[in-house]
Short mmCIF file of all heavy atoms in Angstrom, two decimals:
data_model
loop_
_atom_site.label_atom_id
_atom_site.label_comp_id
_atom_site.label_asym_id
_atom_site.label_seq_id
_atom_site.Cartn_x
_atom_site.Cartn_y
_atom_site.Cartn_z
N MET A 342 0.82 -1.19 -0.01
CA MET A 342 0.00 -0.01 0.00
C MET A 342 0.86 1.26 0.00
O MET A 342 0.40 2.32 -0.38
CB MET A 342 -0.92 -0.05 1.21
CG MET A 342 -2.10 0.85 1.07
SD MET A 342 -3.07 0.42 -0.36
CE MET A 342 -4.66 0.74 0.21
N THR A 343 2.10 1.14 0.43
CA THR A 343 2.99 2.33 0.47
C THR A 343 3.18 2.90 -0.92
O THR A 343 3.15 4.13 -1.10
CB THR A 343 4.37 1.92 1.08
OG1 THR A 343 4.13 1.43 2.38
CG2 THR A 343 5.25 3.12 1.16
N ALA A 344 3.38 2.07 -1.92
CA ALA A 344 3.58 2.57 -3.30
C ALA A 344 2.35 3.29 -3.80
O ALA A 344 2.46 4.34 -4.47
CB ALA A 344 3.93 1.39 -4.22
N LEU A 345 1.17 2.81 -3.49
CA LEU A 345 -0.08 3.46 -3.92
C LEU A 345 -0.22 4.80 -3.22
O LEU A 345 -0.61 5.80 -3.85
CB LEU A 345 -1.26 2.58 -3.59
CG LEU A 345 -2.35 2.56 -4.65
CD1 LEU A 345 -1.96 1.56 -5.72
CD2 LEU A 345 -3.63 2.20 -4.05
N SER A 346 0.08 4.88 -1.93
CA SER A 346 0.03 6.13 -1.21
C SER A 346 1.01 7.15 -1.81
O SER A 346 0.68 8.31 -1.93
CB SER A 346 0.36 5.90 0.27
OG SER A 346 -0.62 5.09 0.85
N GLN A 347 2.21 6.68 -2.17
CA GLN A 347 3.17 7.59 -2.75
C GLN A 347 2.72 8.08 -4.13
O GLN A 347 2.89 9.24 -4.46
CB GLN A 347 4.56 6.89 -2.91
CG GLN A 347 5.63 7.81 -3.45
CD GLN A 347 5.85 9.02 -2.58
OE1 GLN A 347 6.04 8.89 -1.38
NE2 GLN A 347 5.82 10.20 -3.16
N ALA A 348 2.10 7.17 -4.90
CA ALA A 348 1.55 7.59 -6.20
C ALA A 348 0.47 8.65 -6.06
O ALA A 348 0.48 9.65 -6.81
CB ALA A 348 1.01 6.38 -6.97
N LEU A 349 -0.39 8.50 -5.09
CA LEU A 349 -1.45 9.50 -4.88
C LEU A 349 -0.84 10.83 -4.38
O LEU A 349 -1.28 11.91 -4.76
CB LEU A 349 -2.51 8.97 -3.90
CG LEU A 349 -3.40 7.89 -4.46
CD1 LEU A 349 -4.30 7.32 -3.35
CD2 LEU A 349 -4.25 8.40 -5.61
N THR A 350 0.19 10.74 -3.56
CA THR A 350 0.89 11.96 -3.13
C THR A 350 1.55 12.68 -4.31
O THR A 350 1.45 13.90 -4.45
CB THR A 350 1.94 11.61 -2.06
OG1 THR A 350 1.28 11.05 -0.94
CG2 THR A 350 2.72 12.85 -1.62
N ASP A 351 2.18 11.90 -5.20
CA ASP A 351 2.78 12.46 -6.39
C ASP A 351 1.73 13.15 -7.27
O ASP A 351 1.94 14.26 -7.79
CB ASP A 351 3.49 11.41 -7.20
CG ASP A 351 4.75 10.90 -6.51
OD1 ASP A 351 5.19 11.52 -5.51
OD2 ASP A 351 5.25 9.83 -6.92
N ILE A 352 0.57 12.52 -7.46
CA ILE A 352 -0.52 13.10 -8.25
C ILE A 352 -1.02 14.40 -7.57
O ILE A 352 -1.20 15.40 -8.23
CB ILE A 352 -1.69 12.07 -8.40
CG1 ILE A 352 -1.30 10.95 -9.30
CG2 ILE A 352 -2.94 12.75 -8.91
CD1 ILE A 352 -2.24 9.76 -9.24
N GLU A 353 -1.15 14.36 -6.24
CA GLU A 353 -1.57 15.52 -5.50
C GLU A 353 -0.60 16.70 -5.70
O GLU A 353 -1.04 17.82 -5.98
CB GLU A 353 -1.66 15.16 -4.03
CG GLU A 353 -2.04 16.30 -3.10
CD GLU A 353 -2.07 15.87 -1.63
OE1 GLU A 353 -1.11 15.19 -1.21
OE2 GLU A 353 -3.03 16.19 -0.96
N ASN A 354 0.66 16.43 -5.65
CA ASN A 354 1.68 17.50 -5.85
C ASN A 354 1.67 18.00 -7.30
O ASN A 354 1.75 19.21 -7.52
CB ASN A 354 3.08 16.96 -5.48
CG ASN A 354 3.19 16.75 -3.99
OD1 ASN A 354 2.49 17.32 -3.16
ND2 ASN A 354 4.07 15.82 -3.59
N TYR A 355 1.60 17.11 -8.24
CA TYR A 355 1.65 17.47 -9.64
C TYR A 355 0.45 18.33 -10.05
O TYR A 355 0.57 19.30 -10.79
CB TYR A 355 1.70 16.23 -10.55
CG TYR A 355 1.76 16.52 -12.00
CD1 TYR A 355 2.92 16.98 -12.61
CD2 TYR A 355 0.64 16.35 -12.79
CE1 TYR A 355 2.98 17.29 -13.95
CE2 TYR A 355 0.67 16.63 -14.16
CZ TYR A 355 1.85 17.07 -14.72
OH TYR A 355 1.85 17.36 -16.06
N LEU A 356 -0.72 17.97 -9.57
CA LEU A 356 -1.94 18.71 -9.93
C LEU A 356 -2.26 19.89 -9.02
O LEU A 356 -3.20 20.61 -9.22
CB LEU A 356 -3.12 17.74 -9.93
CG LEU A 356 -3.09 16.64 -11.01
CD1 LEU A 356 -4.29 15.71 -10.82
CD2 LEU A 356 -3.04 17.21 -12.40
N GLY A 357 -1.49 20.05 -7.95
CA GLY A 357 -1.72 21.14 -7.04
C GLY A 357 -2.96 21.01 -6.21
O GLY A 357 -3.64 21.97 -5.94
N VAL A 358 -3.25 19.80 -5.77
CA VAL A 358 -4.43 19.55 -4.95
C VAL A 358 -4.11 20.08 -3.51
O VAL A 358 -3.11 19.76 -2.95
CB VAL A 358 -4.77 18.04 -4.88
CG1 VAL A 358 -5.93 17.79 -3.95
CG2 VAL A 358 -5.06 17.49 -6.27
N ASN A 359 -5.00 20.90 -3.03
CA ASN A 359 -4.81 21.49 -1.71
C ASN A 359 -6.15 21.46 -0.97
O ASN A 359 -7.06 22.15 -1.33
CB ASN A 359 -4.32 22.92 -1.84
CG ASN A 359 -3.94 23.54 -0.52
OD1 ASN A 359 -3.81 22.84 0.44
ND2 ASN A 359 -3.72 24.83 -0.51
N GLY A 360 -6.24 20.61 0.02
CA GLY A 360 -7.47 20.54 0.82
C GLY A 360 -8.58 19.82 0.13
O GLY A 360 -9.63 20.42 -0.12
N ALA A 361 -8.40 18.56 -0.19
CA ALA A 361 -9.46 17.79 -0.85
C ALA A 361 -10.71 17.72 0.03
O ALA A 361 -10.61 17.52 1.23
CB ALA A 361 -8.98 16.39 -1.19
N ARG A 362 -11.86 17.88 -0.59
CA ARG A 362 -13.15 17.78 0.13
C ARG A 362 -14.21 17.13 -0.75
O ARG A 362 -13.96 16.98 -1.92
CB ARG A 362 -13.60 19.16 0.64
CG ARG A 362 -13.80 20.15 -0.45
CD ARG A 362 -14.03 21.56 0.11
NE ARG A 362 -14.23 22.51 -0.95
CZ ARG A 362 -13.29 23.04 -1.73
NH1 ARG A 362 -12.04 22.71 -1.52
NH2 ARG A 362 -13.59 23.88 -2.68
N ASN A 363 -15.32 16.80 -0.16
CA ASN A 363 -16.41 16.10 -0.89
C ASN A 363 -15.89 14.83 -1.55
O ASN A 363 -16.16 14.56 -2.74
CB ASN A 363 -17.05 17.02 -1.91
CG ASN A 363 -17.67 18.20 -1.32
OD1 ASN A 363 -18.21 18.15 -0.20
ND2 ASN A 363 -17.60 19.34 -1.99
N ILE A 364 -15.13 14.06 -0.81
CA ILE A 364 -14.51 12.84 -1.35
C ILE A 364 -15.56 11.74 -1.47
O ILE A 364 -16.30 11.45 -0.53
CB ILE A 364 -13.35 12.38 -0.46
CG1 ILE A 364 -12.29 13.47 -0.39
CG2 ILE A 364 -12.76 11.07 -0.94
CD1 ILE A 364 -11.25 13.23 0.64
N LYS A 365 -15.62 11.12 -2.67
CA LYS A 365 -16.56 10.00 -2.91
C LYS A 365 -15.77 8.86 -3.55
O LYS A 365 -14.93 9.09 -4.41
CB LYS A 365 -17.65 10.42 -3.86
CG LYS A 365 -18.56 11.52 -3.25
CD LYS A 365 -19.62 11.96 -4.24
CE LYS A 365 -20.37 13.14 -3.66
NZ LYS A 365 -21.24 13.78 -4.64
N VAL A 366 -16.09 7.67 -3.15
CA VAL A 366 -15.46 6.47 -3.70
C VAL A 366 -16.58 5.61 -4.27
O VAL A 366 -17.55 5.32 -3.61
CB VAL A 366 -14.68 5.69 -2.63
CG1 VAL A 366 -14.09 4.44 -3.23
CG2 VAL A 366 -13.60 6.54 -2.03
N GLU A 367 -16.41 5.23 -5.55
CA GLU A 367 -17.37 4.33 -6.17
C GLU A 367 -16.68 3.02 -6.52
O GLU A 367 -15.64 3.05 -7.21
CB GLU A 367 -17.93 4.96 -7.47
CG GLU A 367 -18.76 6.16 -7.24
CD GLU A 367 -19.30 6.71 -8.57
OE1 GLU A 367 -20.09 6.01 -9.22
OE2 GLU A 367 -18.89 7.81 -8.93
N TYR A 368 -17.22 1.94 -6.10
CA TYR A 368 -16.70 0.61 -6.41
C TYR A 368 -17.49 -0.01 -7.58
O TYR A 368 -18.67 0.25 -7.67
CB TYR A 368 -16.74 -0.30 -5.21
CG TYR A 368 -15.91 0.19 -4.05
CD1 TYR A 368 -16.47 0.98 -3.06
CD2 TYR A 368 -14.58 -0.13 -3.98
CE1 TYR A 368 -15.72 1.44 -2.01
CE2 TYR A 368 -13.80 0.33 -2.93
CZ TYR A 368 -14.36 1.10 -1.95
OH TYR A 368 -13.63 1.56 -0.91
N GLY A 369 -16.83 -0.80 -8.37
CA GLY A 369 -17.55 -1.52 -9.41
C GLY A 369 -17.95 -0.66 -10.57
O GLY A 369 -19.07 -0.80 -11.08
N THR A 370 -17.11 0.22 -10.98
CA THR A 370 -17.43 1.10 -12.14
C THR A 370 -16.92 0.49 -13.45
O THR A 370 -16.83 1.18 -14.45
CB THR A 370 -16.80 2.48 -11.92
OG1 THR A 370 -15.39 2.36 -11.75
CG2 THR A 370 -17.42 3.18 -10.76
N GLU A 371 -16.63 -0.80 -13.44
CA GLU A 371 -16.14 -1.48 -14.62
C GLU A 371 -17.19 -1.59 -15.70
O GLU A 371 -18.35 -1.56 -15.42
CB GLU A 371 -15.57 -2.85 -14.26
CG GLU A 371 -16.61 -3.84 -13.81
CD GLU A 371 -16.92 -3.76 -12.34
OE1 GLU A 371 -16.38 -2.90 -11.63
OE2 GLU A 371 -17.80 -4.52 -11.90
N THR A 372 -16.70 -1.75 -16.92
CA THR A 372 -17.66 -1.94 -18.01
C THR A 372 -17.90 -3.40 -18.34
O THR A 372 -18.90 -3.75 -18.91
CB THR A 372 -17.14 -1.18 -19.30
OG1 THR A 372 -15.85 -1.73 -19.63
CG2 THR A 372 -17.08 0.27 -19.09
N ASN A 373 -16.94 -4.26 -17.97
CA ASN A 373 -17.09 -5.68 -18.20
C ASN A 373 -16.58 -6.41 -16.97
O ASN A 373 -15.36 -6.56 -16.79
CB ASN A 373 -16.31 -6.13 -19.44
CG ASN A 373 -16.54 -7.59 -19.76
OD1 ASN A 373 -16.96 -8.36 -18.90
ND2 ASN A 373 -16.21 -7.97 -20.96
N TYR A 374 -17.47 -6.83 -16.12
CA TYR A 374 -17.10 -7.40 -14.82
C TYR A 374 -16.24 -8.66 -14.95
O TYR A 374 -15.55 -9.07 -13.99
CB TYR A 374 -18.33 -7.69 -13.98
CG TYR A 374 -19.15 -8.87 -14.45
CD1 TYR A 374 -18.96 -10.12 -13.95
CD2 TYR A 374 -20.15 -8.67 -15.43
CE1 TYR A 374 -19.71 -11.21 -14.40
CE2 TYR A 374 -20.87 -9.74 -15.88
CZ TYR A 374 -20.69 -11.00 -15.37
OH TYR A 374 -21.40 -12.05 -15.82
N LYS A 375 -16.26 -9.34 -16.11
CA LYS A 375 -15.47 -10.53 -16.24
C LYS A 375 -13.97 -10.26 -16.52
O LYS A 375 -13.15 -11.11 -16.25
CB LYS A 375 -16.02 -11.39 -17.40
CG LYS A 375 -17.37 -11.99 -17.11
CD LYS A 375 -17.89 -12.83 -18.27
CE LYS A 375 -19.26 -13.36 -17.98
NZ LYS A 375 -19.83 -14.17 -19.08
N THR A 376 -13.69 -9.09 -17.01
CA THR A 376 -12.27 -8.81 -17.38
C THR A 376 -11.65 -7.71 -16.53
O THR A 376 -10.44 -7.53 -16.57
CB THR A 376 -12.18 -8.39 -18.87
OG1 THR A 376 -12.99 -7.24 -19.10
CG2 THR A 376 -12.64 -9.52 -19.75
N SER A 377 -12.44 -6.95 -15.82
CA SER A 377 -11.84 -5.83 -15.08
C SER A 377 -12.67 -5.48 -13.81
O SER A 377 -13.81 -5.88 -13.69
CB SER A 377 -11.75 -4.61 -15.96
OG SER A 377 -13.02 -4.13 -16.30
N LYS A 378 -12.02 -4.76 -12.94
CA LYS A 378 -12.67 -4.16 -11.76
C LYS A 378 -12.08 -2.77 -11.61
O LYS A 378 -10.91 -2.55 -11.84
CB LYS A 378 -12.37 -4.95 -10.48
CG LYS A 378 -13.27 -6.09 -10.22
CD LYS A 378 -13.03 -6.61 -8.83
CE LYS A 378 -14.04 -7.66 -8.49
NZ LYS A 378 -13.85 -8.21 -7.18
N SER A 379 -12.91 -1.83 -11.21
CA SER A 379 -12.46 -0.46 -11.08
C SER A 379 -12.98 0.19 -9.80
O SER A 379 -13.99 -0.21 -9.27
CB SER A 379 -12.94 0.41 -12.28
OG SER A 379 -12.45 -0.08 -13.45
N VAL A 380 -12.19 1.17 -9.37
CA VAL A 380 -12.60 2.06 -8.24
C VAL A 380 -12.39 3.48 -8.71
O VAL A 380 -11.34 3.79 -9.30
CB VAL A 380 -11.76 1.76 -6.99
CG1 VAL A 380 -12.12 2.76 -5.90
CG2 VAL A 380 -11.96 0.35 -6.52
N THR A 381 -13.36 4.35 -8.53
CA THR A 381 -13.27 5.73 -8.96
C THR A 381 -13.35 6.60 -7.70
O THR A 381 -14.26 6.46 -6.87
CB THR A 381 -14.38 6.13 -9.93
OG1 THR A 381 -14.27 5.30 -11.08
CG2 THR A 381 -14.27 7.59 -10.34
N LEU A 382 -12.39 7.51 -7.60
CA LEU A 382 -12.32 8.43 -6.47
C LEU A 382 -12.54 9.85 -7.05
O LEU A 382 -11.85 10.24 -8.01
CB LEU A 382 -10.94 8.37 -5.83
CG LEU A 382 -10.57 9.35 -4.74
CD1 LEU A 382 -11.41 9.05 -3.50
CD2 LEU A 382 -9.09 9.30 -4.44
N THR A 383 -13.55 10.56 -6.54
CA THR A 383 -13.82 11.93 -6.98
C THR A 383 -13.78 12.87 -5.77
O THR A 383 -14.10 12.47 -4.65
CB THR A 383 -15.17 12.08 -7.68
OG1 THR A 383 -16.20 11.64 -6.80
CG2 THR A 383 -15.22 11.24 -8.96
N PHE A 384 -13.30 14.10 -6.02
CA PHE A 384 -13.24 15.09 -4.93
C PHE A 384 -13.09 16.48 -5.54
O PHE A 384 -12.79 16.65 -6.69
CB PHE A 384 -12.11 14.78 -3.94
CG PHE A 384 -10.76 14.70 -4.58
CD1 PHE A 384 -9.92 15.80 -4.62
CD2 PHE A 384 -10.28 13.50 -5.11
CE1 PHE A 384 -8.66 15.77 -5.17
CE2 PHE A 384 -9.01 13.42 -5.67
CZ PHE A 384 -8.22 14.56 -5.70
N ASN A 385 -13.21 17.48 -4.66
CA ASN A 385 -13.03 18.89 -5.03
C ASN A 385 -11.84 19.41 -4.25
O ASN A 385 -11.57 18.98 -3.13
CB ASN A 385 -14.23 19.71 -4.68
CG ASN A 385 -15.50 19.17 -5.22
OD1 ASN A 385 -16.06 18.25 -4.65
ND2 ASN A 385 -15.98 19.72 -6.30
N SER A 386 -11.16 20.40 -4.86
CA SER A 386 -10.08 21.12 -4.17
C SER A 386 -9.98 22.49 -4.83
O SER A 386 -9.79 22.59 -6.07
CB SER A 386 -8.76 20.37 -4.34
OG SER A 386 -7.72 21.11 -3.81
N ASN A 387 -10.12 23.54 -4.03
CA ASN A 387 -10.13 24.88 -4.55
C ASN A 387 -11.18 25.06 -5.62
O ASN A 387 -12.33 24.74 -5.38
CB ASN A 387 -8.71 25.31 -5.06
CG ASN A 387 -7.67 25.19 -3.99
OD1 ASN A 387 -7.98 25.42 -2.81
ND2 ASN A 387 -6.45 24.87 -4.36
N ASP A 388 -10.83 25.47 -6.82
CA ASP A 388 -11.79 25.70 -7.88
C ASP A 388 -11.85 24.55 -8.88
O ASP A 388 -12.40 24.71 -9.98
CB ASP A 388 -11.44 26.98 -8.65
CG ASP A 388 -11.58 28.22 -7.80
OD1 ASP A 388 -12.40 28.20 -6.87
OD2 ASP A 388 -10.85 29.19 -8.05
N HIS A 389 -11.36 23.39 -8.53
CA HIS A 389 -11.28 22.26 -9.46
C HIS A 389 -11.93 21.00 -8.92
O HIS A 389 -12.02 20.81 -7.72
CB HIS A 389 -9.79 21.93 -9.76
CG HIS A 389 -9.06 23.08 -10.37
ND1 HIS A 389 -8.38 24.01 -9.62
CD2 HIS A 389 -8.94 23.47 -11.65
CE1 HIS A 389 -7.81 24.89 -10.40
NE2 HIS A 389 -8.15 24.60 -11.68
N ASP A 390 -12.43 20.19 -9.83
CA ASP A 390 -12.93 18.86 -9.50
C ASP A 390 -11.90 17.86 -10.01
O ASP A 390 -11.23 18.09 -11.04
CB ASP A 390 -14.28 18.59 -10.19
CG ASP A 390 -15.37 19.53 -9.70
OD1 ASP A 390 -15.31 19.93 -8.54
OD2 ASP A 390 -16.30 19.79 -10.49
N PHE A 391 -11.77 16.73 -9.32
CA PHE A 391 -10.80 15.71 -9.67
C PHE A 391 -11.48 14.37 -9.70
O PHE A 391 -12.41 14.09 -8.97
CB PHE A 391 -9.65 15.68 -8.68
CG PHE A 391 -8.83 16.97 -8.67
CD1 PHE A 391 -9.18 18.00 -7.83
CD2 PHE A 391 -7.72 17.06 -9.45
CE1 PHE A 391 -8.41 19.14 -7.79
CE2 PHE A 391 -6.98 18.23 -9.46
CZ PHE A 391 -7.31 19.26 -8.65
N MET A 392 -10.92 13.47 -10.57
CA MET A 392 -11.39 12.12 -10.64
C MET A 392 -10.17 11.21 -10.90
O MET A 392 -9.38 11.50 -11.79
CB MET A 392 -12.36 11.92 -11.84
CG MET A 392 -12.81 10.46 -11.98
SD MET A 392 -13.89 10.24 -13.45
CE MET A 392 -15.31 11.09 -12.99
N VAL A 393 -10.03 10.21 -10.06
CA VAL A 393 -8.96 9.23 -10.20
C VAL A 393 -9.63 7.88 -10.33
O VAL A 393 -10.44 7.48 -9.48
CB VAL A 393 -8.00 9.24 -8.99
CG1 VAL A 393 -6.92 8.18 -9.14
CG2 VAL A 393 -7.38 10.59 -8.79
N THR A 394 -9.31 7.14 -11.42
CA THR A 394 -9.88 5.84 -11.58
C THR A 394 -8.74 4.83 -11.68
O THR A 394 -7.79 5.04 -12.39
CB THR A 394 -10.71 5.73 -12.88
OG1 THR A 394 -11.76 6.71 -12.83
CG2 THR A 394 -11.30 4.37 -13.09
N ILE A 395 -8.84 3.76 -10.91
CA ILE A 395 -7.88 2.68 -10.94
C ILE A 395 -8.63 1.44 -11.40
O ILE A 395 -9.67 1.06 -10.83
CB ILE A 395 -7.26 2.44 -9.56
CG1 ILE A 395 -6.49 3.69 -9.11
CG2 ILE A 395 -6.33 1.21 -9.59
CD1 ILE A 395 -5.94 3.62 -7.75
N THR A 396 -8.11 0.81 -12.47
CA THR A 396 -8.75 -0.33 -13.05
C THR A 396 -7.83 -1.54 -13.03
O THR A 396 -6.68 -1.44 -13.48
CB THR A 396 -9.18 -0.05 -14.52
OG1 THR A 396 -10.01 1.09 -14.54
CG2 THR A 396 -9.91 -1.24 -15.11
N ARG A 397 -8.31 -2.62 -12.51
CA ARG A 397 -7.55 -3.90 -12.59
C ARG A 397 -8.00 -4.63 -13.82
O ARG A 397 -9.19 -4.90 -14.04
CB ARG A 397 -7.86 -4.77 -11.37
CG ARG A 397 -7.04 -6.08 -11.42
CD ARG A 397 -7.55 -7.07 -10.45
NE ARG A 397 -8.79 -7.67 -10.95
CZ ARG A 397 -9.65 -8.37 -10.23
NH1 ARG A 397 -9.41 -8.56 -8.98
NH2 ARG A 397 -10.73 -8.85 -10.79
N VAL A 398 -7.06 -4.97 -14.68
CA VAL A 398 -7.33 -5.70 -15.91
C VAL A 398 -6.76 -7.11 -15.73
O VAL A 398 -5.55 -7.29 -15.42
CB VAL A 398 -6.73 -5.04 -17.13
CG1 VAL A 398 -6.97 -5.83 -18.38
CG2 VAL A 398 -7.22 -3.60 -17.27
N ASN A 399 -7.60 -8.12 -15.87
CA ASN A 399 -7.12 -9.51 -15.75
C ASN A 399 -6.19 -9.82 -16.92
O ASN A 399 -6.51 -9.58 -18.06
CB ASN A 399 -8.29 -10.47 -15.77
CG ASN A 399 -9.17 -10.34 -14.52
OD1 ASN A 399 -8.73 -9.83 -13.52
ND2 ASN A 399 -10.40 -10.75 -14.63
N SER A 400 -5.02 -10.33 -16.58
CA SER A 400 -3.97 -10.55 -17.60
C SER A 400 -4.43 -11.45 -18.74
O SER A 400 -4.15 -11.17 -19.90
CB SER A 400 -2.76 -11.20 -16.92
OG SER A 400 -2.23 -10.36 -15.95
N GLU A 401 -5.15 -12.48 -18.46
CA GLU A 401 -5.54 -13.41 -19.49
C GLU A 401 -6.61 -12.84 -20.44
O GLU A 401 -6.80 -13.34 -21.54
CB GLU A 401 -6.05 -14.76 -18.92
CG GLU A 401 -7.34 -14.66 -18.14
CD GLU A 401 -7.16 -14.28 -16.65
OE1 GLU A 401 -6.03 -13.98 -16.22
OE2 GLU A 401 -8.16 -14.27 -15.93
N ASN A 402 -7.25 -11.75 -20.04
CA ASN A 402 -8.32 -11.18 -20.87
C ASN A 402 -8.01 -9.77 -21.41
O ASN A 402 -8.84 -9.17 -22.03
CB ASN A 402 -9.60 -11.10 -20.06
CG ASN A 402 -10.08 -12.48 -19.64
OD1 ASN A 402 -10.01 -13.41 -20.40
ND2 ASN A 402 -10.58 -12.58 -18.43
N LYS A 403 -6.85 -9.24 -21.14
CA LYS A 403 -6.61 -7.83 -21.40
C LYS A 403 -6.62 -7.43 -22.86
O LYS A 403 -6.78 -6.26 -23.20
CB LYS A 403 -5.36 -7.32 -20.68
CG LYS A 403 -4.08 -7.84 -21.25
CD LYS A 403 -2.93 -7.26 -20.46
CE LYS A 403 -1.61 -7.82 -20.88
NZ LYS A 403 -0.54 -7.31 -20.06
N TRP A 404 -6.44 -8.35 -23.78
CA TRP A 404 -6.40 -8.00 -25.19
C TRP A 404 -7.63 -8.48 -25.95
O TRP A 404 -7.68 -8.42 -27.16
CB TRP A 404 -5.14 -8.55 -25.85
CG TRP A 404 -3.92 -8.09 -25.15
CD1 TRP A 404 -2.99 -8.88 -24.54
CD2 TRP A 404 -3.45 -6.72 -24.96
NE1 TRP A 404 -2.01 -8.12 -23.99
CE2 TRP A 404 -2.25 -6.80 -24.23
CE3 TRP A 404 -3.92 -5.48 -25.33
CZ2 TRP A 404 -1.56 -5.67 -23.89
CZ3 TRP A 404 -3.24 -4.38 -24.96
CH2 TRP A 404 -2.06 -4.45 -24.26
N GLU A 405 -8.67 -8.88 -25.23
CA GLU A 405 -9.89 -9.32 -25.87
C GLU A 405 -10.81 -8.15 -26.22
O GLU A 405 -10.83 -7.20 -25.56
CB GLU A 405 -10.62 -10.33 -25.02
CG GLU A 405 -9.92 -11.65 -24.94
CD GLU A 405 -10.66 -12.67 -24.11
OE1 GLU A 405 -11.76 -12.39 -23.63
OE2 GLU A 405 -10.15 -13.75 -23.98
#
């Protein structure tokens, strides 16, 4: 989990996120449940809205 936390910190620094609020997490936003799973994180910071989506793609099905 440390690597994921560091990645989110890097994204936060790169995009200038300061004081995230209205944080929402949606599970199961995948388009094909047999080949992938996704989690979408949305939030506001200052005058901007942000969306981060992480999708797991099953190796055996990723090119179908």
Side-chain angles (χ1 to χ4, degrees):
M342 200 59 144
T343 301
L345 220 83
S346 296
Q347 183 60 51
L349 289 173
T350 298
D351 291 347
I352 290 167
E353 179 181 46
N354 291 335
Y355 180 75
L356 295 177
V358 176
N359 187 12
R362 59 190 181 281
N363 300 324
I364 299 169
K365 296 177 186 170
V366 178
E367 292 181 66
Y368 297 93
T370 56
E371 66 276 0
T372 57
N373 184 341
Y374 71 93
K375 291 181 181 178
T376 59
S377 66
K378 273 191 174 180
S379 298
V380 175
T381 300
L382 174 70
T383 57
F384 58 92
N385 307 80
S386 174
N387 300 329
D388 295 331
H389 299 92
D390 295 331
F391 295 89
M392 177 186 291
V393 178
T394 302
I395 298 176
T396 304
R397 180 194 76 195
V398 178
N399 293 339
S400 298
E401 67 274 5
N402 297 322
K403 68 180 175 183
W404 304 118
E405 289 182 2

